[in-house]
Amino acid sequence: MRFYQVGRLALSLPLLGFAGPGSFAQNGTSLPSLLDATVDELAAGLGAKLFTSVDLVKAYTKRILEVNNELHAITEINPDALKIAKDLDYERKFGRLRGPLHGLPILIKNNIAAADLMNNTAGSYALLGARVSRDATVVAKLRKAGVIILGKANMSQWANFRSSNSSNGWSAHGGQVYGAYYPQQDPSGSSSGSGVGSSLGLALAALGTETDGSILSPAQANNIVGIKPTVGLTSGALAIPISPRQDTIGPLARTVKDAAYVLQAIAGKDPLDNYTSAIPGTIPNYVAACKLDALKGKRIGVPRNTFDTQTEPFASMNRAFDAALNVLKDAGAIIVDNTNYTAWDQLLQSPAEAQVLGADFQANLKQYLAQLTYNPKNMTSLADVNQFTKTFLPEEYPSRDTFIFDWVLSLPFNNTSPEAWAAYQYNQYLGGTGGLLGALQNYTLDAVVLPTRVSSSVSAIIGGPVVTVPLGALAPDTPVVPNSRGDLVASSPNYPFGIAFAGPHWSEAKLIGFAYAFEQRTNVRKQVKPYIAPKTELVDVIGI
Ligand SMILES: *[C@@H]1O[C@H](CO)[C@@H](O)[C@H](O)[C@H]1NC(C)=O
Ligand SMILES: *[C@@H]1O[C@H](CO)[C@@H](O)[C@H](O)[C@H]1NC(C)=O
Ligand SMILES: *[C@@H]1O[C@H](CO)[C@@H](O)[C@H](O)[C@H]1NC(C)=O
Ligand SMILES: *[C@@H]1O[C@H](CO)[C@@H](O)[C@H](O)[C@H]1NC(C)=O
Ligand SMILES: *[C@@H]1O[C@H](CO)[C@@H](O)[C@H](O)[C@H]1NC(C)=O
Ligand SMILES: *[C@@H]1O[C@H](CO)[C@@H](O)[C@H](O)[C@H]1NC(C)=O
Ligand SMILES: *[C@@H]1O[C@H](CO)[C@@H](O)[C@H](O)[C@H]1NC(C)=O
Ligand SMILES: *[C@@H]1O[C@H](CO)[C@@H](O)[C@H](O)[C@H]1NC(C)=O
Ligand SMILES: CC(=O)N[C@H]1CO[C@H](CO)[C@@H](O)[C@@H]1O
């Protein structure tokens, strides 16, 4: 078995200035390669007038069009993107910089609404053409920070809350997203297009949403960084919901620092989302938290009973994980092994999470639909959506069933019933005293570290933060295994996987620091190569 990052883990300092093969401007000045370009590199290039935001939009748009027929990562390109870029270039010219993201293009998942020409459908024809009167709060914040919303990223339809037998990254209105690391790769989900789009440099980065795994898992499968923020750190207003108790919006980006820049721009209180009122004090500086020595003296637990499987490919991932523990130690961390979650087996058996999500989904979808200012298919409830899905052919029913919709509609309680509250309280025990919070306390830890594939649930049910960073890719002799539907490759050579840091609520700055310290010492992202990538670079569009 071979892992890209294991073995010589020499400390490699971040490259200064413009890194990578990139391309060259006519006069020989090197331009950043868009497969890997960072915020700092792009901001420096814009500042030095090597290129403009208009150039960035043109280049990223071409890159999308180069690969989208094959990968279906993007559902729509913002028809206003060039105009917005022009305006931001104009502001820059006159010295008005909105912040470090000024003039940089970002993709947003197709369940986050924008009050522009783009559709927000969660991948369903039921919402095609529907309008909202304002931007989702995170989108408004991005625009204020000078970000260009370049397009919408395809996703697992309804954030994977419709069917028992669909596939990751499939939506009726968007088709099937594929990952770029193996032909027909399962891109994971539900923020599938956000993962692929960010990984292939179809934009600077992307926003995704997570209820349980939907940022962490596609970030891992697409060889990038994902930050799943504490529920309430980023406003969920005007994102198509599952449950406000677990839904959270966060960045998928190629580097920890870029993800930190994006998180900085979208975090904050919002009167339209009461969960944000729990944010303690002022928002920390997440970019400044990116320090090489962030792990020094920190106690990092390993809840080993959550990943003790010896079957492949998981055993391989576990070995890579164990090698990574040595990197953390070398970076000064105190590894506290076997900080096991006492309630893990109970969590695996528990229906409580599904009950909470199901009860909330019905009520919260209704609230979202009530905010539409134009609703061409008259969707007012989950029952309407279910009926539509079963009868509108492109929704591919019954080949892709409506098991979750039907189950939610049959629940004998709703989200104000005692049953839902009891389930929620049980989750707080499973993830709290019996899980992450108990381990943090009992072993006096700063955080725990986990293979990304097992990192989401415990933090999901208590609303805690997790950061994932690339760890490796499966070896060339890995068997090719299809997903359960038989239409994607779920495990294969070169399939990327990650390592995740989880901590207490509002500990993003710490977790970002830990992930950065690991990333800078390993640089896995650049060693794992996609089999397909767009060729357009800035040099191809500058001045055209
Ligand atoms: C190269 O060209 C860019 C514009 O395309 C210009 O801003 C830059 O100053 C030039 N650099 C040199 C070394 O001439
Ligand atoms: C949104 O969907 C409508 C209906 O299909 C379509 O006419 C429109 O072009 C879409 N918007 C964008 C920006 O693609
Ligand atoms: C937030 O909470 C207040 C007080 O309970 C309530 O009046 C308001 O409607 C809530 N706002 C939202 C957007 O839920
Ligand atoms: C923790 O879990 C691992 C893996 O299941 C097991 O080998 C170990 O004995 C456990 N340690 C404790 C203290 O429970
Ligand atoms: C939606 O409702 C409006 C007003 O009741 C009606 O005119 C329209 O035909 C309905 N559209 C559909 C697709 O059912
Ligand atoms: C999905 O489930 C439905 C309902 O059980 C079934 O009719 C359909 O054949 C299944 N599709 C696949 C691809 O297994
Ligand atoms: C929720 O269920 C309770 C009974 O448990 C019922 O009284 C209440 O009207 C229901 N609420 C909604 C919004 O359906
Ligand atoms: C932490 O300690 C408490 C009290 O002894 C115990 O109930 C709980 O199971 C422990 N949790 C973990 C994850 O170790
Ligand atoms: C921008 C883009 O390529 N959108 C495509 C997304 O997928 C749907 C369905 O396959 C196409 O119709 C769009 O053209």
Side-chain angles (χ1 to χ4, degrees):
M1 289 285 164
R2 182 167 69 89
F3 293 101
Y4 294 89
Q5 86 299 343
V6 183
R8 330 143 273 110
L9 288 162
L11 177 96
S12 54
L13 289 168
L15 294 162
L16 297 173
F18 298 140
S23 56
F24 291 86
Q26 248 109 26
N27 61 12
T29 314
S30 80
L31 298 165
S33 152
L34 294 180
L35 185 62
D36 288 308
T38 64
V39 169
D40 290 344
E41 289 166 359
L42 293 177
L46 287 166
K49 301 193 174 64
L50 298 182
F51 50 85
T52 63
S53 292
V54 165
D55 294 328
L56 281 175
V57 166
K58 285 183 182 164
Y60 281 134
T61 301
K62 284 189 160 204
R63 289 172 72 85
I64 291 170
L65 297 176
E66 273 187 70
V67 294
N68 215 40
N69 278 344
E70 188 154 348
L71 302 180
H72 308 285
I74 308 304
T75 56
E76 290 177 1
I77 294 171
N78 187 354
D80 298 324
L82 267 180
K83 184 193 173 305
I84 295 168
K86 240 177 237 166
D87 291 347
L88 290 164
D89 280 336
Y90 190 78
E91 284 184 17
R92 178 184 295 278
K93 193 169 163 191
F94 288 94
R96 185 176 171 222
L97 279 190
R98 299 183 183 207
L101 297 178
H102 187 110
L104 301 186
I106 284 183
L107 298 161
I108 60 175
K109 187 175 178 180
N110 198 14
N111 60 355
I112 303 172
D116 54 22
L117 294 170
M118 293 191 290
N119 290 287
N120 189 48
T121 66
S124 170
Y125 281 98
L127 294 180
L128 194 60
R131 318 294 311 166
V132 290
S133 63
R134 58 183 163 81
D135 285 332
T137 299
V138 291
V139 171
K141 279 176 160 289
L142 285 180
R143 290 198 210 271
K144 198 164 165 238
V147 166
I148 301 157
I149 309 297
L150 181 63
K152 302 296 297 268
N154 200 358
M155 57 186 281
S156 311
Q157 198 185 32
W158 294 108
N160 204 19
F161 218 64
R162 160 189 158 176
S163 180
S164 71
N165 63 358
S166 191
S167 42
N168 286 326
W170 180 87
S171 69
H173 161 244
Q176 175 66 59
V177 181
Y178 296 104
Y181 290 85
Y182 196 85
Q184 301 213 287
Q185 183 202 335
D186 185 331
S188 191
S190 64
S191 306
S192 319
S194 302
V196 173
S198 181
S199 185
L200 286 186
L202 307 186
L204 168 76
L207 291 190
T209 67
E210 170 148 341
T211 307
D212 187 339
S214 278
I215 290 173
L216 296 169
S217 189
Q220 136 165 287
N222 293 290
N223 192 30
I224 54 174
V225 173
I227 300 178
K228 181 262 179 178
T230 304
V231 171
L233 181 65
T234 56
S235 169
L238 271 191
I240 298 174
I242 293 177
S243 162
R245 292 182 236 245
Q246 291 189 205
D247 294 351
T248 179
I249 299 178
L252 294 94
R254 295 181 291 274
T255 68
V256 175
K257 199 174 184 189
D258 284 359
Y261 273 119
V262 176
L263 181 63
Q264 199 82 53
I266 61 173
K269 291 191 179 163
D270 176 14
L272 298 172
D273 178 351
N274 280 342
Y275 281 74
T276 62
S277 66
I279 295 174
T282 52
I283 304 289
N285 187 331
Y286 299 121
V287 179
C290 294
K291 290 205 176 108
L292 267 183
D293 66 355
L295 279 163
K296 206 169 169 191
K298 299 298 190 230
R299 290 175 58 83
I300 309 292
V302 182
R304 206 168 269 282
N305 66 326
T306 65
F307 58 93
D308 58 4
T309 172
Q310 289 311 318
T311 47
E312 291 295 347
F314 308 122
S316 299
M317 296 176 182
N318 291 353
R319 284 194 292 279
F321 175 86
D322 282 335
L325 293 180
N326 291 326
V327 179
L328 304 182
K329 272 186 213 154
D330 288 348
I334 299 152
I335 300 298
V336 187
D337 211 335
N338 292 310
T339 62
N340 294 353
Y341 292 160
T342 46
W344 178 250
D345 292 339
Q346 286 156 274
L347 171 62
L348 293 179
Q349 305 296 319
S350 168
E353 181 182 11
Q355 289 169 344
V356 168
L357 298 183
D360 272 351
F361 183 52
Q362 195 165 175
N364 291 289
L365 181 64
K366 199 179 176 73
Q367 273 173 18
Y368 175 83
L369 296 172
Q371 294 177 77
L372 296 176
T373 50
Y374 178 57
N375 187 346
K377 308 245 169 41
N378 295 338
M379 295 287 122
T380 62
S381 65
L382 178 60
D384 290 349
V385 170
N386 193 33
Q387 178 65 22
F388 176 88
T389 304
K390 285 187 159 83
T391 50
F392 191 71
L393 284 183
E395 295 285 327
E396 293 192 11
Y397 178 87
S399 167
R400 299 172 196 267
D401 66 27
T402 51
F403 178 85
I404 297 179
F405 286 175
D406 296 330
W407 174 77
V408 168
L409 289 166
S410 76
L411 280 177
F413 54 86
N414 61 44
N415 72 336
T416 62
S417 311
E419 289 91 335
W421 183 246
Y424 179 69
Q425 288 306 313
Y426 187 47
N427 284 341
Q428 302 321 295
Y429 164 73
L430 294 175
T433 306
L436 173 61
L437 302 182
L440 290 171
Q441 185 168 28
N442 296 355
Y443 302 97
T444 329
L445 304 173
D446 292 285
V448 302
V449 65
L450 296 152
T452 300
R453 71 175 192 280
V454 292
S455 68
S456 73
S457 301
V458 162
S459 295
I461 57 180
I462 60 168
V466 188
V467 177
T468 179
V469 60
L471 170 61
L474 293 175
D477 61 353
T478 303
V480 175
V481 179
N483 66 347
S484 55
R485 205 182 156 80
D487 56 359
L488 293 172
V489 169
S491 178
S492 70
N494 204 41
Y495 199 105
F497 56 86
I499 184 168
F501 296 88
H505 299 89
W506 320 110
S507 66
E508 284 80 2
K510 264 190 178 181
L511 302 181
I512 285 169
F514 300 161
Y516 180 82
F518 177 79
E519 173 199 52
Q520 295 302 311
R521 285 172 172 79
T522 52
N523 251 312
V524 173
R525 149 100 190 149
K526 290 200 180 174
Q527 296 162 54
V528 180
K529 306 284 188 200
Y531 81 90
I532 174 178
K535 305 265 185 302
T536 303
E537 293 289 352
L538 279 163
V539 69
D540 301 314
V541 301
I542 288 174
I544 292 166

